[in-house]
Amino acid sequence: QVQLVESGGGLVQPGGSLRLSCAASGFSLDGYSIGWFRQAPGKEREGPTCKNTRSGTLYFADSVMGRFIISRDNAKNTVDLEMKRLQFEDTAVYYCAAVKYADFGCPLAANEYYYWGQGTQVTISS
C-alpha cells in the first residue's frame, strides 16, 4: 500500500525544537520532491518546506527560513523536518506530501503534490 505517514508531533515550549519524520511505504522517495505543509485552525495551508531528492534542491517558506531544516534518510526512506526556535505561530497540523517532479526544484502549490500523509499536530505552548 502506497502511503506517507508523519510522526514526531507534540507539545513544545516556545524556543524549543521538534523533529518530524515523513515515512514512505509502498514506494521509494528516490526522484520525488517532498514538501512539508502546515495548516493552523482558521488559516490557509502554508508551505512548502521542500526537498527535491533528485537534485537536492531545497525550498523554504519565508516564515521558517533559518529555523527549519529538511533532510532525507535514504536507509529509512524518510524525509525529516527539524524545527528549531519554535514560536507560537508554528502551531499547526503538519503534513508531508510527495510528487515525482519533472523539474529540478520543488512545486510550490499544494495541488501539485500527489501523495499526502494524514498530518501530525505540533503545538507550541508555554
Side-chain angles (χ1 to χ4, degrees):
Q1 182 180 2
V2 174
Q3 63 177 353
L4 295 174
V5 178
E6 303 94 337
S7 61
L11 175 66
V12 65
Q13 292 185 339
S17 300
L18 207 58
R19 189 181 186 96
L20 306 182
S21 185
C22 174
S25 60
F27 71 108
S28 169
L29 290 173
D30 285 341
Y32 279 78
S33 287
I34 312 301
W36 282 94
F37 292 83
R38 66 185 186 182
Q39 188 161 20
K43 295 187 177 181
E44 293 186 356
R45 183 160 37 191
E46 181 184 11
T49 298
C50 177
K51 180 179 178 70
N52 183 308
T53 62
R54 182 160 62 110
S55 67
T57 298
L58 303 175
Y59 179 85
F60 296 91
D62 290 344
S63 59
V64 306
M65 182 79 71
R67 300 188 298 122
F68 288 13
I69 299 170
I70 185 169
S71 60
R72 184 188 176 194
D73 187 322
N74 291 341
K76 295 180 180 179
N77 202 29
T78 62
V79 173
D80 295 346
L81 183 68
E82 185 175 359
M83 307 184 293
K84 300 181 179 180
R85 302 195 304 279
L86 287 163
Q87 306 164 358
F88 292 120
E89 296 75 27
D90 296 316
T91 294
V93 177
Y94 284 70
Y95 301 89
C96 68
V99 63
K100 199 115 183 181
Y101 199 49
D103 203 345
F104 288 104
C106 286
L108 301 185
N111 60 13
E112 293 188 81
Y113 288 80
Y114 189 73
Y115 298 115
W116 285 83
Q118 81 290 348
T120 185
Q121 176 70 46
V122 172
T123 302
I124 314 304
S125 176
S126 55

